[in-house]
Amino acid sequence: MKNKHWFFLLPYSLWIGLFVVLPLLLIFWTSLTGNGSISLENFSNFFTNATFLRMTPNSFWYALLITLFTLLVSYPVAYILTKLKNQQFWLLLIILPTWINLLLKAYAFIGIFGKSGLVNNFLHLFGIGPVNILFTNFAFIFVATYIEIPFMILPIYNAIKEIDPALINAANDLGASKWQSFRYIIWPLSLPGVESGVQAIFIPSLSLFMLTRLIGGNRVITLGTAIEEYFTTTMNWSMGSTIGVILIVMMVAVMVLTGEKNKRKKEVKL
């Protein structure tokens, strides 16, 4: 039986080794050998360069804003979704946009936010415009939030769906208002879904680069933008790999911190 278990794990292990572990090792090795010999010069340059030091908090700030706005939109939608009939149909409508290529969605918003786009044509009816919406921080955060919303709704919806209705009925019988039921029952019990959604949004948002180019117009500068610049424009793969390694470390740190928080909560409950 043990041999059979190893046989089934072999394809997965090969996939992880070839397409996850090996690329990470190559990135790490490239970051150390940019000058032909092993050195930490690139890491030293990163932590002493004012441009990189500005990009790091910028990346966290944009990721935080995207995550916050996504949560503010997604939680009410997920909660309302649990009360509707034909929930699977509504879930399908929410998931459908994720099937569309990210590049196509970005170009669609370029048309919507452009000076002759849908938004400016609508504003023109009221004598306003054209307004410069494209290539702004607002446009970047709005489009990134729109794209990430389904990945926040699904875990929150599943967490709320798993709450025992008897708990809410008991609270109502004891005289609790809807706000009190939400605050003391629904919100605490749905926190695992919120935390999963935050991880799913915050971590990828740290490394966004396509939207910063197409929607932000190079006015939004993040570590993801810098990596793309070093790999495709300056062809300094060593420095690009260094920034990639630092970004990976940041992502792992976020996952560890949120994971430890979840672990402590489970221990308290036990």
Side-chain angles (χ1 to χ4, degrees):
M1 291 298 293
K2 292 183 178 180
N3 292 334
K4 290 183 179 180
H5 291 163
W6 279 110
F7 176 77
F8 287 116
L9 284 174
L10 185 60
Y12 176 77
S13 301
L14 289 174
W15 179 273
I16 294 297
L18 289 174
F19 298 106
V20 178
V21 177
L22 184 58
L24 290 176
L25 292 176
L26 288 174
I27 290 173
F28 182 70
W29 177 254
T30 306
S31 69
L32 295 175
T33 58
N35 299 322
S37 60
I38 298 176
S39 71
L40 297 175
E41 182 180 350
N42 288 327
F43 291 92
S44 176
N45 291 337
F46 180 91
F47 290 106
T48 56
N49 189 305
T51 302
F52 291 136
L53 294 179
R54 284 196 302 270
M55 285 182 184
T56 303
N58 275 351
S59 298
F60 272 93
W61 176 243
Y62 285 120
L64 181 63
L65 288 178
I66 293 168
T67 304
L68 177 61
F69 290 131
T70 304
L71 177 61
L72 290 176
V73 174
S74 300
Y75 197 98
V77 173
Y79 178 77
I80 294 172
L81 193 60
T82 60
K83 307 297 181 182
L84 297 177
K85 296 180 180 179
N86 301 321
Q87 294 177 16
Q88 298 303 316
F89 170 75
W90 295 109
L91 279 173
L92 178 62
L93 292 182
I94 291 171
I95 295 172
L96 275 177
T98 64
W99 298 356
I100 301 174
N101 185 271
L102 177 61
L103 186 61
L104 293 178
K105 287 188 280 191
Y107 277 113
F109 274 103
I110 290 176
I112 293 172
F113 286 152
K115 287 189 176 181
S116 58
L118 183 64
V119 174
N120 273 309
N121 287 336
F122 176 76
L123 293 175
H124 183 70
L125 297 175
F126 303 93
I128 304 173
V131 179
N132 185 28
I133 302 174
L134 197 61
F135 305 143
T136 62
N137 290 344
F138 166 80
F140 168 68
I141 294 172
F142 182 91
V143 174
T145 299
Y146 162 79
I147 291 172
E148 302 286 5
I149 279 176
F151 303 104
M152 180 74 80
I153 289 178
L154 292 177
I156 296 176
Y157 166 80
N158 290 329
I160 297 176
K161 193 69 177 175
E162 291 177 358
I163 298 175
D164 189 350
L167 296 174
I168 301 174
N169 293 334
N172 294 335
D173 292 340
L174 293 172
S177 63
K178 290 185 178 180
W179 166 248
Q180 289 173 324
S181 297
F182 172 80
R183 180 180 177 184
Y184 294 107
I185 298 176
I186 298 174
W187 173 252
L189 293 178
S190 64
L191 272 180
V194 173
E195 290 166 352
S196 298
V198 167
Q199 276 190 350
I201 305 305
F202 186 84
I203 293 175
S205 297
L206 284 173
S207 58
L208 286 175
F209 69 91
M210 184 187 297
L211 294 182
T212 59
R213 295 290 191 191
L214 297 177
I215 306 298
N218 289 333
R219 296 184 182 182
V220 178
I221 305 299
T222 63
L223 290 177
T225 309
I227 293 173
E228 191 248 356
E229 181 77 18
Y230 276 106
F231 271 98
T232 60
T233 304
T234 64
M235 301 302 291
N236 187 347
W237 289 17
S238 178
M239 194 64 209
S241 298
T242 301
I243 302 172
V245 169
I246 293 171
L247 194 57
I248 290 169
V249 171
M250 292 178 182
M251 293 177 178
V252 172
V254 172
M255 292 181 66
V256 169
L257 289 174
T258 53
E260 285 295 323
K261 187 176 179 182
N262 291 337
K263 185 178 178 181
R264 286 195 297 268
K265 285 184 177 180
K266 291 179 180 178
E267 289 175 352
V268 170
K269 289 180 180 179
L270 291 175

